[in-house]
Amino acid sequence: MRDINRSIVIVCCYCRTSGKINGEESIPNQKFILKEYSNQEGYNIRGYIVDEAKSAFSNQRREGYEELMRLIDNKKVDCVLVTFFNRLARRAEDLLNILLLMKSKDIECISVSQNKRLSTMSHYEIAFEAIMTEEEDKSITRRIHSSMDRSRKQGEYLTNPAIGYARDEKRHLNIVEADAKIVRDIFNRFLEGQTTKLIAKQLNESGIAGRRWSTHNVEGLLTNPIYSGKLYKREVGEDLTVSYELLSSVEHEAIIDEHTFFEVVEVINEGKRKRGKRTYKKHHHLFKGVLCCPICNNKMQGTTDYYTCANKKCSFSTVRKDRIEGLLLEYVRGLDKKPDSSNIVRQKVHKYTMTINTLKSEMAMLKQKFSIGQIDVNTLKEHMFRINLEIKALQDKVDYGVYQEEDVTFSELIEERRFEGLNDLMIRRKLTLTLEKEGNSYRIKKL
């Protein structure tokens, strides 16, 4: 055992999966690998911290990760074991931050399957690892999406089928006649003039299909394109109307003929249009995913009439929506930048895109030089880190140029009461806000 192991007393294992996984990535398999390594090294594992089906690329809350960060912040762990560094984070910036934090606190982190120790890595090596992790994940994601697209075009159904169908071993759909009768009955009742609420009530009273029915899932069934015999992508607009994009020309046996299906959809859409656009639901929180706690900077949650800090150990409790949302809206209005003319925006986007392509060519040249021994690994990592930072900064400018071309401003969305679109735009632009107490009121500021 190496000398560095002598100072390692408290060992914690972190395991994470991100949803649909294969056996090698499962939590039991990760635990087995980490346990086996600990036994070989003579470590005594104090506990396993687990985030199951939690993506490290989304804004999804990871309770296990938050617990791990508290242990690191308070230096209550000597060593963190993971199967791969990408279990901690997949974004380069996030992974870089947590690894540098552990290094600054002299906390070891070991990636068992990569055979890498944080204590032996330079800052450049850490940065390179973070960048390569993100690039590898993007590459994997592209391959997965490409494979899924090919499967759909071949008529394969990739998720659990709706009531009325079953999947065979080739992932093709076959009708389950007993359930198909229920589906046809629901469509017939709706075409006879029954409301989705009445249909749900009658289904629950009869106990059909051994499940609870609601207005929402009756409407979901009536607008599910799978029953038409073709694979469509279903999209819900801001006014709640439904539209469809054909994914595959390969057909399966229909439960409802296509004409009848789209007749039902049009009746439902017409009702949505008559009720008007969805604006501000009673318990909708405009700044969910944007507003952060003024004490611990964790994202705040929405609970009926309040925003609350997600960190249960934080001393900040709650703040009423009606006390701060007006202030937040006024602050956000002031963030609108005067848009450039359309031609200037296009010119800038073109310029930034060309520069990004030049930098990518420089990266390819560096890799070639490294492969033939003209530069060493440290030179490669140093230049790759610099180039990736430059590309990220330019890409942010390109993205902002796209926002300008869309000609969408916070003010317009507020004026038109398109609040869900406002929330989407704030999150897309990575806007984070917090509060600062000023007497009996609050002042808003950006993080």
Side-chain angles (χ1 to χ4, degrees), residues 345-382:
V345 169
R346 278 193 288 270
Q347 289 171 12
K348 286 184 176 179
V349 169
H350 178 71
K351 176 185 173 183
Y352 297 145
T353 303
M354 292 297 289
T355 307
I356 288 171
N357 290 336
T358 302
L359 288 168
K360 286 182 177 179
S361 297
E362 187 181 341
M363 289 175 71
M365 186 64 71
L366 283 167
K367 290 176 183 176
Q368 186 177 355
K369 287 182 177 180
F370 175 70
S371 67
I372 60 177
Q374 289 186 359
I375 58 174
D376 60 24
V377 66
N378 288 330
T379 303
L380 174 68
K381 290 176 179 178
E382 181 178 351

Side-chain angles (χ1 to χ4, degrees), residues 186-187 190 196 199 218-224 261 264-265 268:
I186 292 171
F187 272 86
F190 185 81
T196 53
I199 293 171
V218 169
E219 186 176 301
L221 182 148
L222 291 168
T223 58
N224 191 334
F261 173 77
V264 167
V265 169
I268 292 172

Side-chain angles (χ1 to χ4, degrees), residues 11-12 29 71 75-76 90 117 130 134 139 142 149 154 181 197 234 237 257 272 289 298 320 334 353 384 389 399:
V11 176
C12 172
N29 196 63
L71 292 174
K75 209 174 177 183
K76 291 187 175 180
R90 288 194 181 275
R117 285 175 174 261
E134 181 170 326
S139 177
R142 284 192 292 268
D149 287 342
Q154 293 167 6
K181 287 180 181 179
K197 184 176 181 180
R234 175 171 50 181
D257 70 83
K272 303 289 186 186
N298 268 338
R320 287 187 63 89
T353 303
M384 291 285 281
L389 290 178
D399 292 343

